[in-house]
Amino acid sequence: MILIPIMMLVLLAAVVGEYIIPERHSRALGAIASGIVLLLSLYLILAFNSMTAVQTTFSVSYISSFGIDLSFVLSNISVILVLLASIVSFAAVIGGNPGGERRRASNALIMLFELAAIGFFTSGNLFILFIFWDVGVVSAFFMINYLGSGGARSSAKNYLIYSIFASALLLFGIMMIYFYTPVHSFNLSTIEASGASIPIWVQETIFALLLIAFFVKMPVFPLHSWMSDAYSDASTQGSMVLSGILSKFGAYGVFILFLMLPISHTYAKYILIIAIVSALYAAFNAMVQSDLKRMAAYTSMIESSLILVGIAAYNSFGSEGAVYGMLAYGLAASLMFLSVGSIEFTFGSREIAAIKGAVKSASASVYSFLIALFGSTGVPITAGFIADLFIFIGSYQSYGFVGLIPIASLVMMGGYLYYAVDRSFLSTFKHSHPVRIEYWHWDMGYAVLVAAIIVFGILPSILIGLR
Amino acid sequence: MYAYVGYLIAALLGLLVISGITFKFNDRRRLLFGTSVTIFAAILIISLVSILYGVDVYLFGLLHIYQFSLLFVSLFSFAFILVEILGYGSDNFELFNMFVGIAAAGVFLVVMAYSILTIFIAIELVSISTIMMIMTGGKRSVESATKLFILSSISISVFAFAMVLMLPYDGTLSLSLLSMNSSIGGDYIILLSMLMFIAALSIDASLFPFNLWVADVYQGAQDYVTPMLSGINKKVAFVALIYILFIVFASYSHISSVILEVVAVATMFFGNLVAMVQSNVKRMFAYSSISQAGYILIGITTFSAYGLEASVFQIFAHVFMTIGAFAIVMWMESKGIRSVDDYKGMEHRNFWAFSSLTLIMLSMAGIPPLMGFFGKFLLFSSAISSGLLALAFIGIINSFISIYYYGKLISSMLRDTDKGFFYLGRNVRIVVYLCLIAIIAFGVYPHPLLSVISKSVSSLIH
């Protein structure tokens, strides 16, 4: 598939271009580059079903002494995730940081991150996958550290320590996979074919190492403590891509882990337990937050846990639901962070109590926030509904009523959020005064994300029908 | 016919030394600089071409010019060009140039040695000229020079004693497999000799128990000498270590492997943990270069062709990274920017310095797609392929620890400041450019370098 490297080259050129052009053209350049990528990924979705196996693969020799190819494979999972990455990045670039400060650096980092995400989701080779993983991690570090606000330095440090720890474990696991597969290969397809011949103790070790690495990124309960600070202190664009794309790195990783190692399915039920604990934990945490952005962060953690429930179900409904959930929740989470960032900019505060009656002066942001909320809680006609439905059908099939416990977290989150929004944003008798006016470019970001959430909610057949 | 290549390189070395010494009395710096750089470039080109043609000649029974040695000749001649560029602006350039010529002769002799005696003499040549070089730096450098002098004399005497212990068993002292090894298999004298060789070279290679001098000497040396100390002198000791352990004591690898494993683990932890608490950036980089020495050792401990390839690749990577990093850091130091806090706002003050230092640090921490990552990847995977899972895991944990102090410095450079633009010298910029090109190019596409290295390594291990 030659289109994947073309997308990457377009993005790479744009990253370099951001350092050459003047600041005022930054958004235009970013919009053009990520727009091209978005169009290409839409084309990929539409053309995917008519492609043959040869057409979905791009491979050139890279380091021949290790048998490492620069190979990109488009599967029915990765094509959806590429679409997610391109939509979120496009929305982030045109929506922009509310204040518009340090625009060039921010857009360059977004596009570098998009490049890493596309490479990560499509790479057919664990070595290449790791390279893109780390590029993504480091560019997200700069989004938090350089562009963030508040306690950005310490949360960036926290984030970096957790992430590099995850990378270290991932690298170690990948190298173990390479040396313990009988044919010594990094190729995903080869490993999938010969995964059963890896000794059991090695499989268990690799499984543990990689699972910890991916859980850090998702993030899931015991390994999440970097998350709330990082998401809330990053720039608006930064938290959009962090919650929308970076957390899906982990979910996709768990997915391919289940494909690679046959031993995974014996541990699926423990993963379900972790997912349930994580979802409930995040829901309780979301309920006590008075800070909008932190609340959004815990909301996205609930969603990560739900994706994990779908993966742990280990059947076709669960997997479909998990993949659809990555898309739906990614879109919802990034829309939520964009609107929260804009509301914060407009009112100069992100305390829920301080934003009374925001609907009057910042209506676009508030309505977008509501749609993001609908998307996260799985209200019909949003994409989140389809994802929830599939995930819970799958987990019911595998685990009976135990598999439905995570619904409680959705109910708790939804109940609290609707109550909070009703009392603050939609309040009709108290009005906080906006500090600044709304900007028009936010609306474009909202439009893209809202359209995506609704279209994929009404017409799931576009994506579900993929082979 | 290939013998001419050997004579040519030897002649160029002689020319280098002679021109360095005679031109010292000439004050036309540009001529000095031009001559030296031209000679180094000529050596670089000759050695690269000879690698491709597979030259393999013995000279005077003392030098062995073949692919493995030529690989390092090319690396070090490139490194010497960088060092020359760095030193060009200094006050003492004539003296510096002369000592660089002598040190280069020593370095190339070590690399091309066919006899332990050659290594002995050449290492002495390198140390003495480096000490003299540091001496010229004035009052504040004398302490460093003295420290280095004492340590090198200890190192060289231990080395001499090790040679003496070996002499009854191997009268030739040539770099070939220790003769009669079957009859002296368990002889403790031989083991003692090997241990003393390791100890002597550990001092120069800054391996664990013998590396406390590193930070002090690096800090005291002039801004154009420190890159050379960590980029060239240290790596030369590694080459000597590889020759002695892989050729002379090849049949004792099961013992030396255990010793080196312990040393590698201790060196990595020592370097990284001490670097974590440093507030002076230069000392931080000094300790981080110690930990890098520990990583390099991982490949040597495996005693396999694959492990040696990994070590050689990491030596290449670290030469570029350390020269680039110290070039910037030493320039900052000379402008009074010393501690991590002083680096505050470097992103505003000089974006180029910030981004190149950041890239170099990310490469040192092993972040892809930079050269340091690929080196570490090779090292750790060579350890896994030899069954040393624990060693690989400790290495990976160490590279995780190192992100703490690199991240601290990056974070500090990103902080806001109201200080104005900061100027970076032109020669520093050129050096860092060249290093960065190497780091990025060989990181993104390591295949050409890797194939050359594996060809050379297979010429060492038949």
Side-chain angles (χ1 to χ4, degrees), chain A residues 128-390:
Chain A
I128 308 294
L129 180 130
F130 180 77
I131 288 182
F132 285 116
W133 162 287
D134 253 18
V135 173
V137 162
V138 171
S139 47
F141 166 73
F142 285 104
M143 281 181 212
I144 304 169
N145 194 327
Y146 178 51
L147 303 163
S149 54
R153 311 289 160 196
S154 67
S155 28
K157 195 169 77 184
N158 236 342
Y159 161 82
L160 191 68
I161 288 172
Y162 266 93
S163 302
I164 297 296
F165 182 65
S167 301
L169 296 186
L170 179 62
L171 180 61
F172 192 63
I174 287 175
M175 290 194 298
M176 277 184 81
I177 291 177
Y178 178 76
F179 285 106
Y180 282 98
T181 40
V183 284
H184 288 346
S185 171
F186 284 112
N187 263 348
L188 270 174
S189 52
T190 321
I191 296 166
E192 279 166 29
S194 60
S197 51
I198 303 175
I200 294 295
W201 72 272
V202 179
Q203 281 197 43
E204 281 170 345
T205 316
I206 296 170
F207 185 71
L209 289 170
L210 264 56
L211 208 60
I212 293 173
F214 295 139
F215 278 4
V216 167
K217 271 277 117 18
M218 277 188 82
V220 168
F221 166 56
L223 303 165
H224 65 280
S225 65
W226 61 272
M227 182 268 308
S228 57
D229 287 340
Y231 282 14
S232 57
D233 290 337
S235 62
T236 299
Q237 286 182 323
S239 29
M240 279 173 78
V241 298
L242 275 176
S243 64
I245 309 175
L246 187 66
S247 64
K248 275 62 195 174
F249 275 34
Y252 178 72
V254 178
F255 228 102
I256 56 171
L257 186 58
F258 269 73
L259 290 178
M260 283 190 300
L261 299 179
I263 198 165
S264 331
H265 71 266
T266 53
Y267 290 97
K269 53 181 177 291
Y270 303 109
I271 292 181
L272 178 80
I273 294 170
I274 292 175
I276 291 174
V277 171
S278 172
L280 294 176
Y281 174 88
F284 278 116
N285 258 302
M287 281 172 65
V288 295
Q289 301 302 329
S290 59
D291 180 329
L292 260 179
K293 224 170 167 180
R294 278 180 171 273
M295 197 200 64
Y298 279 106
T299 312
S300 90
M301 185 175 160
I302 295 177
E303 291 158 356
S304 290
S305 315
L306 293 185
I307 294 168
L308 199 57
V309 170
I311 299 172
Y314 207 65
N315 54 25
S316 60
F317 266 113
S319 311
E320 283 281 3
V323 175
Y324 213 82
M326 289 186 215
L327 176 73
Y329 300 146
L331 293 173
S334 51
L335 178 58
M336 193 178 266
F337 276 107
L338 179 59
S339 53
V340 167
S342 310
I343 289 171
E344 182 194 357
F345 183 74
T346 320
F347 287 92
S349 166
R350 55 182 197 224
E351 292 291 311
I352 295 175
I355 314 170
K356 298 257 188 236
V359 68
K360 195 155 188 196
S361 42
S363 51
S365 302
V366 168
Y367 287 129
S368 307
F369 183 82
L370 282 177
I371 291 171
L373 204 51
F374 294 152
S376 324
T377 45
V379 171
I381 83 152
T382 62
F385 171 67
I386 314 286
D388 283 352
L389 191 67
F390 276 53

Side-chain angles (χ1 to χ4, degrees), chain A residues 62 64 66 102 134 146 161 179, chain B residues 306 347 368 400 416 444 447:
Chain A
Y62 179 48
S64 52
F66 286 89
R102 288 170 179 171
D134 253 18
Y146 178 51
I161 288 172
F179 285 106
Chain B
Y306 183 16
E347 186 270 332
F400 157 65
D416 288 329
V444 172
H447 183 63

Side-chain angles (χ1 to χ4, degrees), chain B residues 205-394:
Chain B
S206 73
L207 298 178
F208 170 57
F210 311 112
N211 53 14
L212 288 168
W213 58 275
V214 172
D216 297 339
V217 172
Y218 284 13
Q219 199 178 14
Q222 302 95 308
D223 46 2
Y224 46 91
V225 180
T226 304
M228 178 178 154
L229 275 174
S230 117
I232 298 175
N233 289 22
K234 200 160 117 179
K235 304 300 177 280
V236 168
F238 268 109
V239 177
L241 196 64
I242 288 172
Y243 280 158
I244 287 175
L245 291 180
F246 271 78
I247 300 176
V248 181
F249 292 102
S251 45
Y252 297 89
S253 61
H254 56 287
I255 300 168
S256 50
S257 163
V258 176
I259 298 168
L260 292 186
E261 259 174 63
V262 176
V263 173
V265 170
T267 310
M268 286 188 291
F269 272 116
F270 176 84
N272 277 323
L273 294 179
V274 179
M276 271 170 90
V277 295
Q278 299 300 321
S279 60
N280 183 306
V281 176
K282 198 161 146 191
R283 291 182 79 88
M284 194 189 89
F285 273 104
Y287 283 110
S288 106
S289 86
I290 290 178
S291 73
Q292 298 280 342
Y295 297 131
I296 293 171
L297 210 53
I298 290 179
I300 300 177
T301 57
T302 63
F303 280 96
S304 59
Y306 183 16
L308 189 55
E309 277 171 35
S311 284
V312 172
F313 192 94
Q314 181 70 2
I315 288 175
F316 269 68
H318 193 232
V319 166
F320 298 133
M321 295 187 298
T322 198
I323 290 182
F326 274 116
I328 298 180
V329 169
M330 300 299 285
W331 174 271
M332 304 275 192
E333 176 102 358
S334 66
K335 297 287 173 282
I337 300 176
R338 292 196 176 86
S339 68
V340 175
D341 281 339
D342 293 340
Y343 275 71
K344 212 189 271 180
M346 196 49 69
E347 186 270 332
H348 292 283
R349 301 182 63 189
N350 188 335
F351 184 77
W352 196 84
F354 155 75
S355 53
S356 43
L357 193 55
T358 302
L359 276 176
I360 291 172
M361 281 197 286
L362 290 179
S363 170
M364 281 181 170
I367 303 290
L370 300 166
M371 200 176 175
F373 162 72
F374 199 74
K376 279 187 183 170
F377 171 78
L378 288 176
L379 287 168
F380 300 150
S381 57
S382 75
I384 292 180
S385 78
S386 304
L388 302 169
L389 272 181
L391 185 62
F393 191 71
I394 289 172

Side-chain angles (χ1 to χ4, degrees), chain B residues 13 17 101-111 118 121-123 125-126 236:
Chain B
L13 284 186
V17 176
I102 299 171
V107 166
F108 293 137
L109 286 180
V110 172
V111 169
T118 318
I121 294 166
I123 281 191
L125 205 57
V126 179
V236 168

